[in-house]
Amino acid sequence: MMILVSCDQNKKDQTKQSSNENFQMYSMSEMARLMENMAQEHKNVKTKVLANDSLGSIPDYYYDIHFATFTDESDNDEFFKKWADLYLAAEENLYKKQTVEAFDNAINVCLQCHQQKCGGPIPRIKKLFINSYE
């Protein structure tokens, strides 16, 4: 009986080792990391807008949207470049006006782009709105 338990354990160990060999750690692309940082920044900005606090100036790293590498570089197409420009214009407007409307407009640009390409973060984006656009 001890041999069966030992053999059975050995089989489990081999299966576990085999599945571990196929495991690959997810490495976030520069663009994904940039967008994660922007989402976090928007949470902070939302709080400031609601409190009527100064936003300061637009973070310099927002402009990395033109240079960050993608998981799939084919996603860095004319569509994305157009929306990146629209996003930056909306952000510049937000930091200039510092209003709820300007904030929601910037978030709406994110939503519109993601509705057409890479829809995964849409639920998170919608939570950023101060006033709903739906």
Side-chain angles (χ1 to χ4, degrees):
M1 184 149 173
M2 184 125 164
I3 293 174
L4 290 174
V5 171
S6 178
C7 290
D8 187 43
Q9 184 62 42
N10 188 27
K11 186 176 180 181
K12 286 180 185 176
D13 288 343
Q14 287 175 347
T15 302
K16 186 177 179 181
Q17 181 180 7
S18 175
S19 64
N20 284 343
E21 289 171 1
N22 293 331
F23 178 77
Q24 291 183 355
M25 184 67 135
Y26 171 72
S27 179
M28 196 180 281
S29 71
E30 288 178 5
M31 186 59 69
R33 191 171 27 260
L34 174 63
M35 289 193 178
E36 284 289 332
N37 291 340
M38 288 175 176
Q40 186 59 48
E41 183 69 24
H42 280 107
K43 289 179 184 178
N44 298 333
V45 169
K46 179 179 182 177
T47 301
K48 288 180 179 180
V49 167
L50 288 171
N52 245 358
D53 289 343
S54 174
L55 303 182
S57 58
I58 187 170
D60 289 338
Y61 75 86
Y62 278 25
Y63 295 95
D64 291 347
I65 198 165
H66 289 299
F67 310 106
T69 58
F70 287 73
T71 302
D72 179 352
E73 277 302 318
S74 68
D75 288 329
N76 191 7
D77 55 14
E78 289 307 312
F79 173 87
F80 177 81
K81 291 173 184 175
K82 172 190 147 197
W83 281 95
D85 288 340
L86 291 171
Y87 169 76
L88 289 173
E91 287 295 328
E92 288 167 352
N93 186 56
L94 165 60
Y95 280 83
K96 177 182 173 188
K97 294 186 177 178
Q98 302 191 27
T99 64
V100 169
E101 181 182 23
F103 177 84
D104 279 348
N105 285 338
I107 300 304
N108 194 42
V109 171
C110 299
L111 179 63
Q112 287 181 42
C113 182
H114 280 275
Q115 284 175 332
Q116 297 177 59
K117 192 172 202 171
C118 188
I122 288 176
R124 289 180 60 203
I125 294 168
K126 287 181 176 181
K127 290 178 184 177
L128 289 170
F129 282 109
I130 295 171
N131 297 315
S132 178
Y133 269 76
E134 296 183 296

